[in-house]
Amino acid sequence: MSLVFELCPGRSVGGHHPCFVIAEIGQNHQGDLETAKKMIKMAKDCGADCAKFQKSELEHRFIKDALDKPYTSKHSWGKTYGDHKRHLEFSHDQYRELQRYANEIGIFFTASGMDEMAVEFLHELNVPFFKVASADANNFPYLERVAKKGRPMVISSGMQSMDTMRRVYQIVKPINPNFCILQCTSAYPLDPENVNLRVIKTLQEAFPDIPIGYSGHEGGIAISIAAVALGAKVLERHVTLDKSWKGSDHQASLQPTELEELIRSIRIVEKGMGSPIKQYLPCEEGCHDKLGKSVVAKCPIALGTLLTLSMLTVKVTAPHGFPPEEIYSLVGKRVKWDVAEDEIITKEVVEENNMKKQRK
């Protein structure tokens, strides 16, 4: 059973543990190391648990023709797609510097290994867990290789079918039980009608022994908060310092004020989820004392009368007598003295022996 497991040192996910929030910086740092550090600090200040990047060894991720292809998008950082990606890709030494910085300020640091060689580097870097991007969820040899590293895994499910996700589970689970699956739709930005939060429930039912989470690309924070209310134990959202910056991810990302409000709201929702047991709580005592209703006499009742339902009603009273749910149990009970209209029916009003007889 790995419904609960340690995703990062000292930080477990699943069960009653707080939702683990991943601030996905990705490549929204614009290829600038100092901007990347500012984003790590922003994630920490906003309350995120982890700052995450995307690491590629480009020649292992893309075919040569893809890298050599002209790239004329308004988001381009180079003449070819390879030039564009190389501008956004940090070196191994830069990754080590970012990791050191994250450690210094006290936030977990990891990255999606976008190809097998990137995974090898991240393993060497000793990241706390591997994030598997949606594009690799159906890359079964890759999944098997990552699982065998023995580190916890977070696997996104964008662009995949339920049948594929069952195969993901079947491949990973026997090798590495410490993983979770995130509901995800791979569109940037994502329209609400394509989010399909109900898939969280589907995944929970299909894989009851692993935590389920959500990776969102929608605008705003409402849907992500709802995902946590539905039981998401890991939440990933892209973040940015400025949505107007060059890059296709920025519009699907949260700015600092949004990320901070998201995490604040998640923690409130988690408190609000509370207990599944319905019961009268101490905090309700004030309201009950002020507005709680009890059984009272609907009309004058003479000493010795056997009570009927028509003689009784329910009103706000202080002090309290019999609660409304016990009104039927009073029928047939004998009153010990003359009872005025609106008088509270208490235990003292009815004959105790008569009540015991009625209960037999």
Side-chain angles (χ1 to χ4, degrees), residues 123-234:
H123 187 55
E124 175 192 327
L125 200 62
N126 198 29
V127 294
F129 67 92
F130 289 125
K131 171 67 199 303
V132 177
S134 291
D136 279 310
N138 61 346
N139 184 349
F140 299 147
Y142 168 96
L143 279 179
E144 187 172 341
R145 185 167 180 172
V146 173
K148 287 179 178 178
K149 297 294 184 186
R151 299 183 187 276
M153 299 168 65
V154 175
I155 305 172
S156 281
S157 61
M159 302 179 286
Q160 311 303 332
S161 68
M162 193 61 197
D163 285 343
T164 297
M165 296 316 297
R166 288 191 184 94
R167 292 187 66 186
V168 169
Y169 176 90
Q170 291 163 1
I171 289 168
V172 175
K173 186 68 175 178
I175 303 170
N176 184 350
N178 297 327
F179 72 103
C180 62
I181 292 174
L182 310 186
Q183 160 57 2
C184 179
T185 303
S186 297
Y188 304 79
L190 174 61
D191 293 332
E193 58 267 28
N194 293 320
V195 170
N196 296 324
L197 283 182
R198 286 190 177 95
V199 174
I200 292 174
K201 179 72 171 177
T202 302
L203 292 168
Q204 289 168 337
E205 291 174 349
F207 315 122
D209 57 349
I210 64 170
I212 301 300
Y214 175 68
S215 177
H217 307 128
E218 73 281 357
I221 64 175
I223 288 172
S224 292
I225 296 169
V228 175
L230 287 171
K233 301 303 182 182
V234 175

Side-chain angles (χ1 to χ4, degrees), residues 218-332:
E218 73 281 357
I221 64 175
I223 288 172
S224 292
I225 296 169
V228 175
L230 287 171
K233 301 303 182 182
V234 175
L235 176 72
E236 178 185 60
R237 287 298 306 267
H238 288 247
V239 297
T240 182
L241 296 178
D242 190 335
K243 291 187 182 185
S244 69
W245 280 356
K246 183 190 295 188
S248 57
D249 280 1
H250 291 287
Q251 286 298 310
S253 300
L254 299 179
Q255 294 187 136
T257 54
E258 294 175 299
L259 179 62
E260 184 176 21
E261 178 59 23
L262 170 64
I263 296 170
R264 187 189 73 85
S265 298
I266 285 171
R267 301 311 176 208
I268 292 173
V269 166
E270 288 174 331
K271 290 180 181 178
M273 295 300 290
S275 167
I277 300 171
K278 182 59 184 171
Q279 59 185 321
Y280 174 76
L281 296 173
C283 68
E284 297 177 295
E285 186 174 346
C287 185
H288 181 263
D289 289 347
K290 182 179 180 181
L291 299 175
K293 293 186 175 184
S294 297
V295 179
V296 302
K298 191 175 183 180
C299 58
I301 305 170
L303 180 154
T305 301
L306 296 178
L307 293 173
T308 65
L309 191 60
S310 63
M311 299 175 186
L312 305 172
T313 190
V314 173
K315 291 186 178 181
V316 174
T317 62
H320 298 290
F322 284 96
E325 65 265 25
E326 295 185 20
I327 190 169
Y328 296 117
S329 70
L330 292 170
V331 174

